[in-house]
């Protein structure tokens, strides 16, 4: 009889805790159902991808916060014993899931700092691409490069754990300054008009990338308010150097980080057109080899005659 009473008292003591877990579980499924409905509505109404992504993330974050509030409110009278239990469990989990915990810490650092945002183009180790999602454990990239030249997508989606930000450098190609310095190098024959070539390159640069100059200057001024950077030349610039084979013209310019390849194509195309129009004032050079002389050959005729007889 005493055993039955003890079991009954134990069940009565556990019943409130079981009912509270049931309430929290029901609340979880209700919240997830609402989140699913809201996300479906957002997908059908919002057309712009960036806005749609941010709204979906905001709904998910708010849902998590509401669930945490409900859980705390439900167990607030049992927080002392509940906290001890959670502490013991958390100690074991922390030891077994160190990488996961570091990834969550990385997600917090990414979220509340300026490492990168969705839409930024970054490089992590040997992985290079555009950030398309930042999860609690992983960052998802649409990869560029690899077997594809320059800045084009190759079609692979790469997921990297957020813990990498504490281990490897992160290169951000957009961030606070969404422009890049780039340059093209042109070999010009000796005898071409140096001044005419320089003016042609400057005129082409002003037409192709001149519109970026004012935006770049404003962006650089904003960057100088955040970091200790010196003033920089953002206008297109042409420099020359003499080599053994040709005059090397280098056109340096600033371009939007997503338009580097197309801009190089425009610059080369425009310059080749101007070369044809220059009537010989500008001549492209190429690597050539000239044979000046052959080494002397010594032939012993006696050996040749003997070989012929044999």
């Amino acid at each position: 009889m005493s055993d039955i009473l003890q079991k009954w008292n134990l069940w009565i003591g556990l019943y409130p805790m079981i009912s509270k877990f049931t309430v929290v579980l029901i609340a979880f499924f209700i919240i997830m159902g609402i989140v699913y409905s809201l996300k479906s509505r957002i997908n059908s109404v919002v057309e712009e991808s960036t806005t749609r992504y941010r709204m979906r993330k905001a709904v998910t974050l708010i849902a998590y916060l509401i669930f945490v509030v409900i859980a705390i409110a439900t167990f607030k009278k049992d927080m002392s014993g509940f906290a001890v239990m959670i502490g013991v469990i958390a100690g074991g989990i922390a030891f077994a899931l160190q990488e996961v915990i570091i990834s969550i810490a990385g997600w917090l650092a990414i979220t509340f700092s300026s490492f990168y945002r969705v839409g930024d183009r970054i490089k992590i180790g040997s992985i290079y691409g555009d950030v398309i999602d930042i999860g609690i454990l992983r960052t998802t990239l649409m990869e560029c490069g690899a077997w594809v030249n320059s800045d084009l997508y190759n079609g692979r989606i790469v997921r990297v754990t957020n813990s990498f930000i504490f281990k490897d450098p992160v290169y951000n190609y957009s961030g606070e300054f969404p422009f890049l310095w780039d340059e093209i190098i042109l070999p010009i024959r000796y005898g071409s008009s140096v001044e005419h070539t320089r003016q042609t390159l400057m005129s082409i640069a002003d037409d192709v990338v001149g519109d970026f100059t004012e935006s770049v200057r404003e962006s650089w001024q904003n960057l100088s308010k955040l970091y200790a950077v010196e003033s920089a030349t953002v206008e297109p610039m042409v420099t020359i150097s003499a080599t053994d084979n040709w005059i090397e013209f280098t056109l340096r310019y600033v371009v939007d980080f997503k338009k580097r390849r197309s801009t190089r194509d425009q610059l080369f195309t425009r310059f080749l057109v101007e070369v044809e129009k220059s009537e010989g004032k500008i001549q492209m050079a190429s690597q050539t080899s000239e044979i000046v002389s052959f080494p002397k050959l010594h032939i012993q005729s006696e050996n040749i005659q003997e070989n012929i007889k044999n």
Side-chain angles (χ1 to χ4, degrees):
M1 187 66 180
S2 60
D3 293 338
I4 297 175
L5 290 175
Q6 289 178 359
K7 291 180 180 179
W8 176 256
N9 291 331
L10 179 62
W11 173 254
I12 294 299
L14 290 175
Y15 180 76
M17 185 64 67
I18 294 173
S19 62
K20 290 178 180 179
F21 273 113
T22 303
V23 170
V24 172
L25 189 62
I26 293 173
F28 173 78
F29 284 112
I30 293 174
I31 291 172
M32 289 300 101
I34 295 173
V35 168
Y36 178 80
S37 300
L38 289 175
K39 286 184 176 181
S40 299
R41 182 64 178 171
I42 291 171
N43 290 337
S44 61
V45 173
V46 182
E47 297 182 357
E48 207 276 316
S49 60
T50 303
T51 304
R52 182 170 61 247
Y53 171 82
R54 290 177 178 174
M55 291 180 67
R56 286 171 57 88
K57 282 292 183 180
V59 168
T60 303
L61 181 59
I62 293 171
Y64 285 150
L65 292 175
I66 292 174
F67 176 74
V68 170
V69 171
I70 292 174
I72 293 174
T74 304
F75 291 102
K76 65 180 180 179
K77 294 182 179 180
D78 305 300
M79 287 303 291
S80 58
F82 191 68
V84 173
M85 182 179 66
I86 292 297
V88 173
I89 296 174
I93 293 176
F95 180 78
L97 302 176
Q98 297 181 34
E99 189 67 25
V100 174
I101 294 173
I102 296 174
S103 294
I104 295 174
W107 172 72
L108 292 172
I110 294 168
T111 303
F112 297 103
S113 66
S114 57
F115 279 97
Y116 54 81
R117 299 179 298 271
V118 173
D120 284 354
R121 179 162 293 176
I122 64 174
K123 181 179 180 182
I124 311 163
S126 60
I127 302 172
Y128 167 58
D130 290 352
V131 179
I132 59 176
D133 183 54
I134 302 174
I136 295 178
L137 298 180
R138 299 177 185 275
T139 293
T140 306
L141 302 177
M142 175 62 75
E143 189 182 29
C144 299
W147 63 86
V148 178
N149 292 329
S150 195
D151 302 327
L152 299 178
Y153 293 146
N154 61 27
R156 290 194 304 194
I157 294 178
V158 185
R159 293 178 175 85
V160 186
T161 58
N162 293 332
S163 60
F164 69 86
I165 66 168
F166 301 117
K167 304 174 183 178
D168 301 320
V170 179
Y171 302 92
N172 195 327
Y173 289 70
S174 45
E176 296 88 351
F177 186 72
F179 299 95
L180 298 173
W181 272 273
D182 199 10
E183 61 184 29
I184 61 173
I185 299 175
L186 298 163
I188 304 299
R189 284 185 183 180
Y190 283 104
S192 301
S193 174
V194 174
E195 188 60 31
H196 182 69
T197 304
R198 185 193 293 272
Q199 291 178 359
T200 300
L201 282 172
M202 287 298 300
S203 176
I204 294 172
D206 289 337
D207 290 341
V208 176
V209 298
D211 294 339
F212 290 122
T213 303
E214 189 61 33
S215 299
V216 172
R217 188 178 290 108
E218 293 178 2
S219 184
W220 188 261
Q221 290 176 354
N222 294 331
L223 188 68
S224 64
K225 297 176 183 178
L226 300 175
Y227 304 102
V229 294
E230 299 178 355
S231 59
T233 302
V234 297
E235 293 80 9
M237 179 174 58
V238 176
T239 58
I240 64 173
S241 61
T243 69
D244 294 337
N245 300 308
W246 52 67
I247 304 173
E248 193 172 83
F249 282 78
T250 301
L251 172 60
R252 178 177 169 85
Y253 55 92
V254 183
V255 64
D256 185 281
F257 75 98
K258 288 187 175 180
K259 298 181 179 180
R260 192 164 68 98
R261 184 184 179 94
S262 61
T263 301
R264 289 171 66 89
D265 176 73
Q266 293 181 53
L267 291 172
F268 276 116
T269 301
R270 288 283 302 275
F271 183 73
L272 292 176
V273 170
E274 293 299 325
V275 170
E276 295 179 357
K277 294 180 180 179
S278 67
E279 298 179 353
K281 292 182 179 181
I282 306 175
Q283 300 181 54
M284 298 290 292
S286 61
Q287 182 70 45
T288 58
S289 300
E290 180 180 355
I291 300 176
V292 179
S293 62
F294 289 97
K296 295 181 179 180
L297 302 177
H298 299 281
I299 302 174
Q300 296 181 358
S301 60
E302 294 180 357
N303 293 337
I304 295 175
Q305 291 177 359
E306 289 178 2
N307 292 331
I308 293 172
K309 291 178 180 180
N310 294 332

